[in-house]
Amino acid sequence: MTMTPHGRTVIDRIWDAHVVTELGGERTLLHIDRILLHERTGPALLAGLAAAGREPAHPELVFGMMDHTVDTRPTRSEDPRAPSGSVFIDSFRQRTAAAGIRVFDLGDPRQGIVHVVSPEQGIVLPGSTVVCPDSHTCTLGGIGALAWGIGSTEGEHAVATQTLVRPWPRRMQVRFDGRLSAGVSAKDLVLALIARFGVNGGQGCAIEFAGEAVRALPVEARLTLCNMAVEFGAWTGLVAPDDTTIEWIAGRPFAPGGALWDRAVAHWRSLVSDPDADWCETLSLDAGALAPQVTWGTNPGQTVAIDQPVPDPAAAPDGQRRAAMERALAYMDLRPGAPLAGTPIEAAFIGSCTNSRLPDLREAAAVLRGRRVAEGVRAIVVPGSTAVRAAAEAEGLDRVFTEAGFEWRKSGCSLCFFSGADDFGGARRVISTTNRNFEGRQGPGVRTHLASPATVAASAVAGRIADVRHTPRS
Amino acid sequence: MEPLTRIEGIAAPLMRPDIDTDIIIPSREITSPERTGFGEKLFAPWRYLDATRRENPDFVLNRTPFRHARILIAGDNFGCGSSREMAVWALHQFGIRCIVAPSFGAIFRTNCIRNALLPVELPEADVQALAAAAEAAPLHLVVDLERCEITGLAHRRLRFEMDAGERDCLIAGLDAIDLTWRHRAAIEAFQARDRQARPWIWEPR
Ligand code: SF4
């Protein structure tokens, strides 16, 4: 019998370009092109490295960001909004300085959320391998990088050796066919995917997101899509680079220029999947049929279309899942069978590495222009980077938000997670553009509904979970 | 890293699916950039009733004999969510050395291997059987990493699979960075080639 030759996937192509050596079994020693650090997990990593008497192999390939614990209130102070947060900030400053690693500190125009800043500055490039001790590193797949989150100890390994050991990943292709309808975004696409196949639907795979709907997405929306690959249980996700990607990167501060640019582009254009590529798994979803999505429960898979009722645990496939649904409903204080749209909210949050880029802010502003947030709703918008904030202000979006009653904040992770101090001021039910609706994620007892920026804006105005398709834009 | 060959002790059942690292150790509990002091913070939202750390008597790890558990029997997708390695440190510092579940969050699983905490994947039915036995009567298990098997369940010997490289590292307690430096020549050769092939990677201004 002859072997059938199979085409190769974009993941194989990036992987192969980074193989240092095969270690036997399923394991490979991979070269790592970029290591990103932030002040929340970076200090322990650098402390471990120093304690072992080790030094960074290539400090010029390591970048540090201040994002997780920084004060994002409009009056930003040096004091972090987390108990003992200054320990993290100070320790990160000292340890990065000692290790010769550059940091975009508070006050730097490049400061912001690591997963927003690193593509924006051209630090992360298509076809590169990128790690960061942060689970949403997969966001960077949106630009065609093979990027994944690691722990602190693996981070030490990466910084010390510029390599990591990885098992050969199973490769999955997820196709989104058709075109998104008006009012439906990349966030809805990925929430629908997780709802359909479950929070472990990605099975630890490396995923290529493909199909007509993905090709039509701008880079920022691809970053949103890949951001939630980890919430889908994937190892990582990416979108193969194309003209959209290449145009987006051109001219960014750390991107290659001159003759190197042409060589880089030639390489990036080779990073595609063959039509007969050998996928371990393939999934597909009709993007054209999707409505805006909102989570009802306490994980991102507990999601329904905005026009659907809260599901009934009686329909769960087994007892364990039924119990999990019942717990989620109790925590979220929702009744099965009731419509989710119309549920009163007390706060609205636009921000995080999922949805805080300029197009996200534009989408929300288009809904908010000439409107006011409903009485009693605490509304907060946090641009993902200082550069996004400046760009938004240059086109007057800050005024649209503040005139609508939103608080216009400085860049950082902010209320994406509760770090102990900054909170929604007693609000219990929050509609949020973030990526995790886990119990207590945004504060003790806080009930989080994940949605797109447009849905959050429409809901803030209505004072209840709302269908943005019924809120005309101005 | 401490070598890990055989883990023996009480198994505690915690059969919820999708237990995320925010529950294993919430962000607000992470108040130090050190690697120690996380044991008492493990599962804080479930383990304690209030800020004074009054114990919730219903939570499994507050009950006898489970407060001395060495092995945790957990639901599907255990350790999903944030990459925080403090989740593994908290489990380890509490005394847990092995977690048995149908599947794990990918980053969490790697973090376990790096910290001498053994993640064992078993089919859902086997995990259910272990959990049911642990609920019914104190269950003392022996997890043998050399043989890749778990004993202690009446009339059953549960085999599990593990990547040989990972297993060898755990058994020998080898330092992964030292192991990697054995390939220094290959790393240097790769980098020399790569500087020619992809020079833009090496000059981020
Ligand atoms: S914005 Fe939220 S999810 Fe993103 S890196 Fe910051 S804390 Fe993590």
Side-chain angles (χ1 to χ4, degrees), chain A residues 202-224:
Chain A
Q203 302 168 38
C205 292
I207 297 179
E208 182 194 9
F209 294 108
E212 186 190 356
V214 174
R215 285 286 144 233
L217 294 176
V219 167
E220 290 88 347
R222 297 176 182 185
L223 293 163
T224 300

Side-chain angles (χ1 to χ4, degrees), chain A residues 18 27 31 33-34 40 54 58 84 102 134 151-153 156-157 160 199-200 254 263 320 417 436, chain B residues 18 27 30-31 35 81-83 85 103 111 128 163 175 178 180-181 190-191 196 198 201 204-205:
Chain A
H18 292 85
R27 300 178 328 141
H31 185 261
D33 296 334
R34 296 283 181 270
R40 189 69 168 156
R54 292 177 170 130
H58 293 280
S84 72
R102 71 190 112 190
D134 191 282
S152 309
T153 308
E156 282 180 45
H157 189 288
V199 288
N200 208 9
F254 290 91
R263 287 186 63 187
Q320 208 185 107
F417 73 107
R436 287 195 174 133
Chain B
D18 307 315
S27 189
I30 303 171
T31 51
R35 285 168 168 261
S82 153
S83 66
E85 197 159 314
S103 72
N111 287 342
Q128 295 283 5
D163 174 87
D175 180 274
D178 289 343
T180 290
W181 279 134
F190 173 91
Q191 293 186 347
Q196 301 298 316
R198 301 183 311 147
I201 288 297
R205 298 281 315 123

Side-chain angles (χ1 to χ4, degrees), chain A residues 35 37 41-50 133 150-156 159, chain B residues 33 35:
Chain A
I35 302 163
L37 302 177
T41 53
L45 185 164
L46 294 173
L49 200 70
I150 55 176
S152 309
T153 308
E154 283 219 294
E156 282 180 45
V159 173
Chain B
R35 285 168 168 261

Side-chain angles (χ1 to χ4, degrees), chain A residues 67-68 113-115 134 136 227 352-354 412-413 416-417 435-436 441:
Chain A
D67 54 8
H68 274 63
I113 305 173
V114 56
H115 314 309
D134 191 282
H136 291 101
N227 176 268
S352 87
C353 55
T354 319
C413 296
C416 170
F417 73 107
N435 47 39
R436 287 195 174 133
R441 168 80 179 184

Side-chain angles (χ1 to χ4, degrees), chain A residues 365-385:
Chain A
V367 175
L368 294 171
R369 203 165 269 123
R371 293 198 170 90
R372 290 274 316 163
V373 166
E375 193 76 38
V377 172
R378 177 98 193 267
I380 295 170
V381 53
V382 188
S385 70

